[in-house]
Amino acid sequence: MKSILTVLFLCFTLTSHAQAPGSYCSKYKGSVTGKRLEIKDHRSDSVDIMHTRIDLDFSQMSRKLIEGKATLSISAWMPDIKHFTLDLEGLEVDSVSAIGLASFHHNGAGLRLTFFEAIPTSGSVDISVYYRGFPIQDPSGWGGFYFSAEYAWNLGVGFGSDPHSYGRVWFPCIDNFIERSSFEFTIITPQDRFAVCNGLLKDTVHRKDGSIRYHWLLDDPIPSYLACVTIGPYAELNSIHEGVSGAFPVQLFASPSDTANLSASFQHIHNGITAFEEAYGSYNFDKVGYSLVPFHAGAMEHATNITYPIYAANGGFGNESLMSHELAHMWWGNAVTCETDGDMWINEGWASFSEYLFDEYVYGREAYVNHMLEDLRYMLQFGHHNEGGYRPVSGQPHEYVYGDHVYKKGALVAHNLRGYLGDSVFFETAKAFMKDYAFSSVSSDTLEHYWSAHTGVDLSFFFRDWVFNHGWNALVLDSFKAVPNDSVYEVTLYVQQKLKGTAQWHNEVPLYYSMYDARWNRIKGKGSVSGKYDEVVLRSPMRPVWIVLDEGHELAQASTSDQLLITRPESFSLENMFWDVDVTEVKDSAFIRFEQVWSSPDPIKDPSASKYDLEENRYWRVSGINCEKVCMEGQFFYDGRAAGAGRYLDASLLRWTEDDLVLMYRPSAASDWGHYEYYSKNVLGNSTNGVGLMEMRKILPGEYALAHRIQGDFVARPINVASIVMHVDLALGTVRLEDPEHEAGEFRIYTSDGELMQKTVLEQAETILDLGAARMEGAMYELLGKKSEVLSAGRLTDR
């Protein structure tokens, strides 16, 4: 503890301010069909705000009142512009002055300005707006202007507002993600307060009435929502960072009683700056700054002066993800900004990805991977349930702009781009992109075109599959063969692609592989696959006995895994497999991989001879070297509930009772599924609550899946709702459903191989499906009720 304090006092100088005369982000906020997102605010095509000066008096903080003026230097992009509208919401306009101003009209949200003559296209006109009032907050509770005892601050994003940019609640502006200007602030505060804004402090004046005026200047252009003021009883922690392009200050502001905790929690702030300069290039602004405020729901990435919650600087490292996320916004979200809020993943997804990079730089690659996998597991289990389905990261509707698909999946998409390109190309391109688009707004199309051109790699498939499309894919190795050929082996990998939440097969997907021989020697490499099935042919100097895909977690896909080196009996709780495994006996060391695939297992090869229907949400794979040398047992929970930590894992369980639930097994993809004999089932109280425990007495290499025992053969199960009648004509290839009481909800038809062929929502009293006689051959069906319960199931037969 003493050494930590010594380091802290070496890194920071502590200075008190203004004690006497003379002296979420949106990070923690609780589908568009086309690629391009429409820009609805076109004012920036007509006029340009070159500079904004804000002069405000907060000397009456206890009244929660602000008053003053904003002076905007404006020029026109085109001739004959005589009128335009600024945004100003919730405040009163006293007057407006400008050379050539004919009139102004403030309607409560917009300030309409009309000039006698056209605004100049060369040079500018200064417009001064005098205003006052009690600034508002966003109806959601996140965003706007806040007063709290000794503090006042703004948050430049309103979660419930449209548009989400929220500079307009404290100064007149063009409030979107495109319009940028430099900023200047003169802020008057009581004598015991200190005001912090964007940029650098130019001077401080102690006035005769005891108040203090602070003058801040930011030369770099930023959007209105990134402008800020924070006022508090601040002391300052100062340090200097030696950046790529020169030294700049790091300024942290907190009350004197909070500075020790702030210093302790921010010990790695310089590491974070270095990590992001190495990843994205030199820092573009003139300082790094954080100001602590008593806010309880996250932080906001105001350029050079991040508004940061006091609770997150508590002396520990538990909130470093928040600290690093906001810091990363100085590149993604401040220097480069999304063009519309529908592409918010460019701001928030890349900042969330940068949390992984911070972990990697400070704590190592394993920390990076663990953070990435935590987000991946969350999205695969909860993301589509929490946000109304599987969503692309680009084109979010208003209500999900600050949601999990933007933050967490956006981070995973950036991670995948790293995996597609490799580190060298990825980071070199990120630096070039940040340099070429500094202080600009961009779209997902901009990223696709630039990154494709700069790398020489056609990334259209990547952006189609990961940015503009929804859902997930996963690559699984069905089998491989190794054939001697002169002094090497010709190795063929037979790869299958699985899907989750999409019907679009991904193309040109990198295939990271690790080949092991019997002595555990390893060769790593990278190939490429497309479509549902593909083959990759390799040449190897050794004969592989075990091959693993994506061992280093270079890609975030619908598959999570745990890989263990087992040398002695012990117990493991597998975070990615969701299994607890006990190794009871070890005859020799073993290397074993446990993989959970978040997609449907391969169908039963002969469904007509099977009495089981496989669960479609997930299945498991166990493989390795020397599996036969260890004895393992284990257990895992099945859970189909909509509540609890394990919710949604096996959502279709609610269509059945647990009495029919069984555990299936097959040794390899070449085998068919059969009932696994080495387990017992614990329904944990009753067989209708959707949760229970599978306890395995023996874990063998192979694949495992949950299934339901189908009563009887695959003969149609009688419909158990009297008002529903189904007529099947195999010769014509038609199915007619009569449902006058509207009891049914959905009708599913499967091929003879068990793959879903068609799904129809039933909304009419009579529904006729024309499948065609050829498609009806061997087809199976499932009729679901309004609550997804199975009303009937079986093979389509004339009746």
Side-chain angles (χ1 to χ4, degrees):
M1 188 66 176
K2 184 177 179 180
S3 62
I4 294 175
L5 290 174
T6 302
V7 171
L8 291 177
F9 280 105
L10 287 173
C11 292
F12 293 106
T13 4
L14 180 62
T15 308
S16 293
H17 293 290
Q19 296 306 308
S23 60
Y24 97 112
C25 150
S26 34
K27 167 149 176 77
Y28 288 142
K29 194 250 184 211
S31 175
V32 174
T33 55
K35 288 173 67 174
R36 289 173 175 81
L37 302 179
E38 181 183 0
I39 298 174
K40 297 180 180 180
D41 186 351
H42 296 283
R43 288 174 293 174
S44 296
D45 295 337
S46 302
V47 296
D48 178 30
I49 303 176
M50 302 170 65
H51 183 70
T52 301
R53 177 179 175 125
I54 300 173
D55 303 283
L56 291 179
D57 187 345
F58 287 89
S59 60
Q60 301 184 58
M61 275 181 57
S62 61
R63 294 182 58 196
K64 302 181 179 180
L65 172 75
I66 65 173
E67 59 181 338
K69 70 173 181 177
T71 302
L72 284 64
S73 299
I74 295 181
S75 65
W77 288 115
M78 58 187 69
D80 302 324
I81 300 297
K82 295 184 179 181
H83 52 77
F84 62 92
T85 299
L86 297 173
D87 300 308
L88 183 63
E89 184 177 352
L91 297 169
E92 298 178 5
V93 175
D94 291 334
S95 63
V96 180
S97 66
I99 296 175
L101 180 67
S103 65
F104 73 89
H105 176 66
H106 185 221
N107 64 6
L111 177 60
R112 179 75 168 176
L113 304 175
T114 302
F115 290 79
F116 291 111
E117 302 291 339
I119 299 170
T121 55
S122 59
S124 63
V125 59
D126 287 347
I127 302 168
S128 293
V129 181
Y130 296 81
Y131 61 102
R132 68 175 62 229
F134 302 94
I136 63 174
Q137 295 178 12
D138 185 80
S140 70
W142 211 111
F145 215 96
Y146 297 80
F147 290 90
S148 174
E150 300 176 298
Y151 295 85
W153 71 95
N154 76 296
L155 297 176
V157 163
F159 285 152
S161 297
D162 193 2
H164 287 295
S165 52
Y166 219 40
R168 61 188 179 273
V169 299
W170 71 290
F171 68 95
C173 55
I174 293 179
D175 206 13
N176 59 30
F177 295 93
I178 299 172
E179 184 61 37
R180 291 173 177 262
S181 80
S182 55
F183 276 85
E184 190 172 1
F185 308 85
T186 59
I187 306 296
I188 298 173
T189 74
Q191 64 180 0
D192 57 350
R193 299 291 182 272
F194 188 83
V196 189
C197 298
N198 310 90
L200 296 176
L201 181 62
K202 293 302 179 181
D203 61 68
T204 302
V205 176
H206 294 268
R207 292 151 52 96
K208 291 181 179 180
D209 62 1
S211 63
I212 306 176
R213 185 180 67 200
Y214 300 92
H215 179 199
W216 293 83
L217 177 64
L218 176 70
D219 289 325
D220 301 307
I222 59 172
S224 56
Y225 79 102
L226 294 176
C228 74
V229 60
T230 56
I231 299 171
Y234 287 137
E236 180 181 352
L237 294 171
N238 267 317
S239 62
I240 299 296
H241 187 83
E242 297 293 338
V244 172
S245 299
F248 53 85
V250 177
Q251 299 175 348
L252 312 178
F253 294 91
S255 71
S257 61
D258 291 325
T259 53
N261 279 343
L262 177 60
S263 296
S265 291
F266 274 60
Q267 288 182 61
H268 296 134
I269 183 66
H270 288 275
N271 301 97
I273 299 170
T274 300
F276 298 152
E277 285 202 316
E278 289 186 2
Y280 308 132
S282 61
Y283 187 69
N284 284 294
F285 295 98
D286 49 18
K287 84 165 191 281
V288 168
Y290 291 74
S291 293
L292 266 57
V293 297
F295 187 61
H296 301 288
M300 177 65 206
E301 68 271 19
H302 300 125
T304 75
N305 183 39
I306 294 160
T307 304
Y308 199 75
I310 294 172
Y311 74 79
N314 57 12
F317 294 150
N319 292 292
E320 282 190 320
S321 289
L322 179 60
M323 178 192 73
S324 61
H325 180 104
E326 303 308 321
L327 177 64
H329 273 309
M330 300 303 129
W331 287 263
W332 296 96
N334 291 6
V336 170
T337 307
C338 60
E339 205 168 70
T340 68
D341 59 12
D343 259 338
M344 186 58 69
W345 81 280
I346 296 173
N347 291 18
E348 299 297 351
W350 282 83
S352 296
F353 165 72
S354 301
E355 298 173 32
Y356 309 163
L357 296 181
F358 174 87
D359 289 346
E360 184 173 27
Y361 186 88
V362 176
Y363 300 109
R365 174 68 183 185
E366 184 179 355
Y368 173 107
V369 169
N370 288 339
H371 196 158
M372 182 274 294
L373 288 174
E374 181 182 2
D375 283 351
L376 179 60
R377 293 191 305 266
Y378 180 93
M379 288 305 300
L380 291 172
Q381 185 174 355
F382 303 117
H384 51 295
H385 292 287
N386 292 344
E387 295 185 358
Y390 298 94
R391 297 185 173 278
V393 296
S394 176
Q396 292 297 326
H398 181 267
E399 63 269 27
Y400 295 126
V401 162
Y402 292 100
D404 291 332
H405 280 85
V406 167
Y407 283 76
K408 295 183 184 295
K409 189 174 183 184
L412 298 169
V413 169
H415 166 75
N416 280 353
L417 184 58
R418 179 183 183 180
Y420 271 59
L421 293 174
D423 278 8
S424 177
V425 174
F426 174 81
F427 287 116
E428 191 277 327
T429 307
K431 291 187 182 75
F433 179 80
M434 196 59 60
K435 179 180 179 181
D436 290 346
Y437 282 92
F439 305 114
S440 301
S441 57
V442 300
S443 68
S444 293
D445 280 339
T446 308
L447 264 70
E448 178 186 343
H449 297 150
Y450 183 92
W451 285 63
S452 292
H454 191 86
T455 61
V457 178
D458 182 359
L459 291 170
S460 57
F461 282 126
F462 176 88
F463 276 81
R464 181 202 69 181
D465 295 336
W466 286 109
V467 177
F468 301 118
N469 199 9
H470 48 79
W472 309 81
N473 81 323
L475 302 181
V476 297
L477 182 64
D478 281 345
S479 62
F480 69 90
K481 68 177 181 181
V483 179
N485 187 354
D486 295 332
S487 60
V488 298
Y489 289 89
E490 187 174 274
V491 182
T492 304
L493 311 184
Y494 298 94
V495 180
Q496 182 182 174
Q497 185 173 180
K498 296 284 189 178
L499 300 178
K500 180 180 178 65
T502 181
Q504 176 72 59
W505 301 109
H506 290 204
N507 288 331
E508 299 181 10
V509 183
L511 181 78
Y512 286 91
Y513 61 85
S514 301
M515 296 190 294
Y516 289 84
D517 68 7
R519 295 187 176 183
W520 296 28
N521 297 309
R522 182 177 69 177
I523 294 176
K524 300 178 70 174
K526 181 181 178 183
S528 177
V529 296
S530 297
K532 184 175 182 179
Y533 298 104
D534 208 346
E535 299 177 9
V536 177
V537 179
L538 313 168
R539 293 172 66 82
S540 169
M542 65 184 195
R543 179 180 177 275
V545 298
W546 184 45
I547 298 179
V548 177
L549 301 187
D550 198 26
E551 186 177 34
H553 302 285
E554 283 86 359
L555 297 177
Q557 299 180 321
S559 174
T560 55
S561 61
D562 298 278
Q563 199 160 295
L564 304 178
L565 173 61
I566 297 175
T567 59
R568 58 185 175 82
E570 59 183 309
S571 298
F572 301 94
S573 181
L574 306 182
E575 286 188 343
N576 299 300
M577 185 74 162
F578 293 2
W579 283 16
D580 291 323
V581 173
D582 294 317
V583 179
T584 58
E585 183 180 349
V586 178
K587 298 177 182 177
D588 195 359
S589 298
F591 204 14
I592 300 181
R593 182 180 178 87
F594 298 85
E595 183 178 8
Q596 182 170 209
V597 183
W598 298 73
S599 183
S600 301
D602 289 348
I604 294 171
K605 297 181 184 299
D606 185 7
S608 62
S610 176
K611 291 179 169 54
Y612 302 104
D613 184 19
L614 296 174
E615 276 289 306
E616 60 189 26
N617 281 15
R618 57 179 179 147
Y619 68 102
W620 304 269
R621 296 160 58 94
V622 179
S623 64
I625 303 177
N626 287 351
C627 291
E628 72 283 358
K629 301 294 180 66
V630 297
C631 295
M632 298 181 293
E633 58 188 37
Q635 62 183 19
F636 68 90
F637 287 94
Y638 59 85
D639 198 335
R641 300 171 299 173
R647 64 190 187 276
Y648 304 128
L649 285 174
D650 308 291
S652 53
L653 280 176
L654 299 181
R655 304 200 323 249
W656 311 78
T657 72
E658 299 163 48
D659 293 332
D660 295 328
L661 187 66
V662 297
L663 184 61
M664 304 287 280
Y665 170 79
R666 64 177 186 175
S668 69
S671 309
D672 204 358
W673 293 98
H675 188 202
Y676 193 54
E677 59 181 306
Y678 304 110
Y679 83 100
S680 58
K681 177 177 61 182
N682 184 344
V683 298
L684 298 180
N686 64 72
S687 61
T688 59
N689 61 5
V691 62
L693 190 66
M694 291 294 188
E695 299 172 301
M696 297 171 285
R697 299 185 297 277
K698 182 185 296 186
I699 297 176
L700 301 175
E703 297 185 355
Y704 298 79
L706 293 173
H708 289 279
R709 185 182 293 106
I710 298 175
Q711 301 301 323
D713 207 349
F714 253 116
V715 177
R717 187 185 302 172
I719 298 173
N720 59 16
V721 177
S723 63
I724 300 177
V725 179
M726 183 171 70
H727 304 273
V728 179
D729 191 324
L730 293 178
L732 293 177
T734 62
V735 176
R736 186 173 86 250
L737 278 163
E738 297 173 2
D739 183 17
E741 301 298 325
H742 299 286
E743 299 285 347
E746 195 173 273
F747 190 75
R748 299 180 179 181
I749 302 172
Y750 300 85
T751 66
S752 58
D753 293 328
E755 293 191 10
L756 183 65
M757 181 168 57
Q758 182 173 323
K759 182 168 62 175
T760 304
V761 177
L762 302 173
E763 297 176 342
Q764 306 297 324
E766 182 178 281
T767 303
I768 299 177
L769 304 175
D770 187 358
L771 304 175
R775 299 180 73 202
M776 295 276 277
E777 181 67 28
M780 297 176 288
Y781 77 94
E782 198 174 42
L783 180 64
L784 306 182
K786 291 291 188 181
K787 297 181 179 180
S788 297
E789 71 277 17
V790 177
L791 304 180
S792 181
R795 195 172 297 283
L796 290 173
T797 57
D798 286 309
R799 54 194 176 100

